[in-house]
Amino acid sequence: MRKTVCLIGRPNTGKSSLFNRLINEKKAIIADMPGVTRDRLYGIVNFEDKSFSLIDTGGIDLENATLNENIRLQAELAIDEADVIVFVVDGLEDITPNDIKVRDMLLRSKKRVILAINKIDDIHHEDAIYNFYELGISDMIMVSAEHNRNITELLKMITSDFPVYQNMPKGEEIRFSIIGRPNVGKSSLVNALLGEERQIVSDIAGTTRDSNDSRFTYDKKEYVVIDTAGMRKRGKIYEQVEKYSVIRSLKAIENSDVCVIVIDASTGIIEHDKHIVSYALEAGKAMVLCINKWDLVPDKDQALKKWKTLIEHEFQFIPYVPVVFLSATTKTRIHTLMPAIIKSFASFTTMLKTSSLNDVIRDAVALHEPPSYKGMRLKIYYVTQVETMPPKFVFFVNNKTLVHFSYERYLENKIRESFALDGSPIILQFKNRGEE
């Protein structure tokens, strides 16, 4: 598992700039995906042979606790989840009473704290470090997020005691996680699948405090279901700060082949549901959408039509993901879930024949040629699949800069029309011929 690091500090110290610098903002997969808007609160940082999850938080103003209670709770949750805390201060300003209060909160956590003195753009500002000895934090470093100064050194400090990152060893079983916002029925769904009351079930959001792995057999094959409600300690914090419930789900997503995103049929789709889907998508996992509490929906035939239209609109960025409607408590239509998971996993691990793949692409190009640009037209020489989990296809072309996003989408759709890839994302990569 990856370690977890969070950025903490008062407003306007440059935390967001540092966050973007550490995760390499240009590589963010889902920054502007249609249909998904979310705060940039989470990212993956890869440094040398280490890897960690990075959490950003809002600026903490403990001087005005009433107006910033929600931000303070978010920060406490992030601190609770973190292995290392990076305390970001403004190196061009004196220590404030708010800095002292934030420092006190961090020291109470008993976590490893690194003081990042930001905005030190050049050597002329380095004397500022002496102002911050008063904070009493031994691990300290001067950085400039804006100018990329000492960022490598900061990463070395953060990861100094992190183990070399390795993906979790995978057995023969299919691993799937049950994820979603609080109180949508995740634990009830796990119980329905297992046929026993392994999880505490309550209508109070925050009952489950940690992720749990349960092994079971279905149709003579082994499966592992990972249940997580995004909670661990101090449940009230987790209940009040719903968007941060995703933090505990991230490790479950990472360790899954398939993510089952549970949505409450009685409340409908909210923005947080789309946030959670975006994390599974960003992690490159296969997915199933599970509309739970279907027993609470009146006039089910009419509701089914409305829900299908709603899903098509709200989740337009994942039209390939199968959807099941069920009730975990009554077990109505529970039999539809496992086949959908199996189908998504099959797509996730599919390896296509190169000859069949090239036949499809040749037909697609013949049906609809790439548009020309400044007298030049994209030529596709051949395509091959190079990876699974998820499937990744490399197109060798005359000039990859001629690939328009709309034509890339067209090629993806043609691949999906020709091969059974429901439930899994696919990756298209374009290379110039001869390029490694």
Side-chain angles (χ1 to χ4, degrees), residues 57-326:
T57 62
I60 308 173
D61 183 0
L62 297 179
E63 298 288 285
N64 196 339
T66 302
L67 293 177
N68 293 276
E69 178 68 8
N70 192 50
I71 292 175
R72 182 183 66 79
L73 292 174
Q74 291 172 9
E76 287 187 13
L77 190 153
I79 291 167
D80 190 33
E81 296 300 327
D83 298 292
V84 175
I85 301 163
V86 178
F87 180 18
V88 185
V89 295
D90 187 335
L92 302 183
E93 297 183 6
D94 292 332
I95 294 173
T96 68
N98 197 32
D99 287 327
I100 298 294
K101 290 186 177 183
V102 173
R103 184 275 314 269
D104 292 343
M105 181 175 70
L106 299 184
L107 294 182
R108 286 194 299 269
S109 73
K110 306 298 183 183
K111 301 292 181 73
R112 183 159 75 92
V113 179
I114 296 172
L115 179 64
I117 306 169
N118 194 23
K119 304 184 183 180
I120 305 299
D121 299 340
D122 55 54
I123 59 174
H124 301 296
H125 296 134
E126 287 188 354
D127 286 347
I129 192 171
Y130 299 109
N131 298 332
F132 293 93
Y133 283 126
E134 179 186 339
L135 293 173
I137 298 173
S138 57
D139 287 340
M140 55 195 303
I141 183 171
M142 295 178 291
V143 301
S144 173
E146 184 177 353
H147 293 90
N148 199 27
R149 189 165 186 255
N150 285 343
I151 298 301
T152 298
E153 288 71 18
L154 173 61
L155 285 166
K156 287 179 179 178
M157 290 182 69
I158 291 171
T159 61
S160 61
D161 61 352
F162 286 7
V164 173
Y165 176 73
Q166 295 178 324
N167 286 319
M168 293 292 291
K170 179 173 164 45
E172 294 298 319
E173 74 278 354
I174 297 174
R175 301 179 63 89
F176 64 94
S177 56
I178 306 294
I179 61 175
R181 54 188 169 92
N183 206 28
V184 293
K186 296 184 295 298
S187 294
S188 296
L189 185 56
V190 172
N191 290 338
L193 288 172
L194 298 176
E196 55 185 291
E197 296 294 318
R198 292 203 185 186
Q199 307 293 335
I200 300 171
V201 178
S202 168
D203 60 0
I204 301 173
T207 302
T208 306
R209 292 287 184 262
D210 210 341
S211 62
N212 299 274
D213 294 8
S214 300
R215 190 178 301 272
F216 70 103
T217 302
Y218 174 83
D219 197 21
K220 299 181 180 180
K221 292 185 178 180
E222 291 291 315
Y223 296 84
V224 174
V225 56
I226 306 166
D227 170 42
T228 176
M231 326 296 173
R232 185 174 61 186
K233 302 172 185 173
R234 293 180 294 180
K236 289 184 179 179
I237 292 176
Y238 291 80
E239 292 159 24
Q240 293 179 54
V241 192
E242 182 173 275
K243 74 174 184 178
Y244 272 76
S245 67
V246 72
I247 293 173
R248 288 298 295 166
S249 298
L250 295 172
K251 292 177 182 177
I253 290 171
E254 179 185 341
N255 202 25
S256 304
D257 301 307
V258 182
C259 296
V260 178
I261 297 96
V262 185
I263 295 171
D264 188 339
S266 64
T267 60
I269 298 169
I270 67 170
E271 197 68 20
H272 191 47
D273 294 318
K274 292 191 283 186
H275 295 171
I276 293 170
V277 168
S278 75
Y279 286 115
L281 182 59
E282 186 171 286
K285 302 298 182 178
M287 285 177 276
V288 173
L289 287 177
C290 175
I291 313 302
N292 190 26
K293 304 186 183 181
W294 196 240
D295 56 307
L296 302 180
V297 175
D299 192 2
K300 291 177 174 49
D301 290 340
Q302 191 64 29
L304 186 62
K305 296 177 183 178
K306 291 181 179 179
W307 265 94
K308 287 182 176 179
T309 301
L310 181 64
I311 289 169
E312 184 178 342
H313 178 263
E314 297 292 339
F315 294 114
Q316 56 185 293
F317 54 97
I318 50 167
Y320 53 85
V321 172
V323 184
V324 297
F325 298 83
L326 54 79

Side-chain angles (χ1 to χ4, degrees), residues 360-370 407 410 414 417:
V360 168
I361 297 304
R362 274 194 297 269
D363 290 345
V365 172
L367 184 65
H368 176 40
E369 280 193 330
Y407 199 75
Y410 167 73
K414 285 300 180 182
E417 287 174 9

